[in-house]
Amino acid sequence: MNSSNYSKRSIKHKVYIIGAGPGDPELITLKGINTLKKSECVIYDYLVNRDILKYVPITAELINADKVRNRFSDNFTKEQDKLNDLIVKKAKKCKIIIRLKNGDPVIFGRLNEEIEALIKNKIDFEIIPGITAASSAAAFLKVGLTKTKIAPIVSFITGHENPLAKNSEIDFSKLPKKSTLVFYMAVKNLNNIATELIKEGWEKNTPFAIVENVGFQYENKRVGRLKDMKKLFFNIKPPVILLVGDVLNYVVKKK
């Protein structure tokens, strides 16, 4: 084997999937920052705070993921495939490529779709976790997601299901009442979620909190009881996260 062939084969290409945290650029981990500083290409989500990109070398290529795929498309699988193909293409070209995701990539981040493409193409990768929106929203509300005897369980649930699916994949009857429910991407289904929970035996006075723009400077909250969801469900724009459960009682009482 000649030296040029050996050199080519010894170069390792790796994809780092990094959680940027929600909104606030100071919420990204130190490991995430240090990895960004070594990047050759960064593919980032639209919700990632642009201040985080200051850690990227000026020689690195920056790609907005939402200019590659249409996140509003009903056929999201097809759109995600476009992004997967781009990640693989760049990973074969660059030694260090970053897939920068909002929040924590392991929670509703389309992570498995992307790593399956990497595994299929035998591309090495590493996941660097981030702070998820649920934790940031709870901190903003100044409340814990769990409490002894009241909420020993926390459930993370998608509030935005496949629009092409005929039936919901969420069985509201199975959601434990002694728990805190966190619905991600729920802006279009807030009223439906409240209706389904009440239908399945949740008390109408169960408290909830809607947090808009989690982690950003213009973060905002709306709190109330399930029975009042319709009254509060107006002029709400994504990104939104919905928290439901008795741990929020004191938040609602002090509003």
Side-chain angles (χ1 to χ4, degrees):
M1 182 185 296
N2 62 44
S3 59
S4 61
N5 286 337
Y6 179 80
S7 176
K8 288 179 181 178
R9 294 188 65 177
S10 64
I11 295 175
K12 291 185 178 180
H13 295 250
K14 189 170 183 178
V15 175
Y16 291 86
I17 304 168
I18 301 176
D24 187 343
E26 293 185 349
L27 292 179
I28 188 172
T29 64
L30 183 58
K31 185 172 184 178
I33 291 173
N34 288 336
T35 307
L36 279 172
K37 290 178 179 179
K38 301 182 290 184
S39 61
E40 295 177 18
C41 176
V42 178
I43 302 175
Y44 62 93
D45 285 343
Y46 85 106
L47 277 177
V48 169
N49 193 311
R50 299 304 186 269
D51 287 346
I52 292 175
L53 299 180
K54 69 182 180 183
Y55 299 111
V56 177
I58 59 173
T59 54
E61 182 180 10
L62 292 173
I63 301 173
N64 186 331
D66 292 284
K67 290 186 178 180
V68 177
R69 66 175 178 199
N70 178 8
R71 62 189 175 88
F72 297 109
S73 171
D74 285 344
N75 193 345
F76 202 89
T77 299
K78 181 180 178 181
E79 295 299 317
Q80 182 64 41
D81 285 343
K82 292 180 185 177
L83 183 57
N84 295 347
D85 291 343
L86 176 66
I87 295 170
V88 170
K89 178 182 177 181
K90 293 297 180 181
K92 290 180 178 179
K93 180 181 178 182
C94 305
K95 286 194 291 183
I96 298 179
I97 177 173
I98 308 295
R99 178 67 178 97
L100 190 60
K101 291 175 172 286
N102 189 62
D104 187 345
V106 306
I107 300 174
F108 299 122
R110 293 273 173 178
L111 177 64
N112 286 329
E113 289 88 339
E114 293 178 14
I115 63 176
E116 284 167 7
L118 295 174
I119 292 170
K120 181 180 178 181
N121 287 274
K122 298 180 180 179
I123 296 170
D124 192 17
F125 66 91
E126 180 179 335
I127 301 166
I128 300 176
I131 294 175
T132 188
S135 297
S136 185
F140 175 66
L141 294 168
K142 297 183 178 179
V143 68
L145 293 174
T146 60
K147 187 176 181 180
T148 305
K149 296 183 180 180
I150 293 177
I153 300 170
V154 179
S155 299
F156 292 165
I157 308 161
T158 180
H160 178 69
E161 296 188 81
N162 184 349
L164 299 179
K166 293 182 179 180
N167 300 306
S168 173
E169 294 179 347
I170 301 170
D171 187 345
F172 283 85
S173 68
K174 299 285 180 65
L175 297 178
K177 295 179 177 63
K178 274 195 172 185
S179 69
T180 302
L181 307 180
V182 183
F183 292 88
Y184 285 68
M185 305 166 289
V187 67
K188 292 184 178 180
N189 293 305
L190 292 170
N191 191 53
N192 181 59
I193 290 169
T195 300
E196 287 296 322
L197 290 174
I198 292 172
K199 178 182 173 183
E200 296 300 337
W202 284 67
E203 293 292 334
K204 293 182 179 181
N205 283 323
T206 301
F208 73 83
I210 299 168
V211 182
E212 304 169 83
N213 299 303
V214 178
F216 286 92
Q217 288 183 332
Y218 39 92
E219 191 169 22
N220 184 44
K221 67 181 179 185
R222 303 188 192 194
V223 299
R225 309 284 177 180
L226 286 179
K227 64 181 181 180
D228 302 320
M229 181 67 79
K230 278 188 177 181
K231 298 177 184 177
L232 294 170
F233 182 42
F234 62 92
N235 293 331
I236 297 179
K237 297 180 180 180
V240 163
I241 193 166
L242 169 66
L243 294 82
V244 180
D246 286 335
V247 294
L248 297 164
N249 262 319
Y250 109 93
V251 178
V252 174
K253 288 177 180 177
K254 73 172 188 176
K255 70 172 181 176

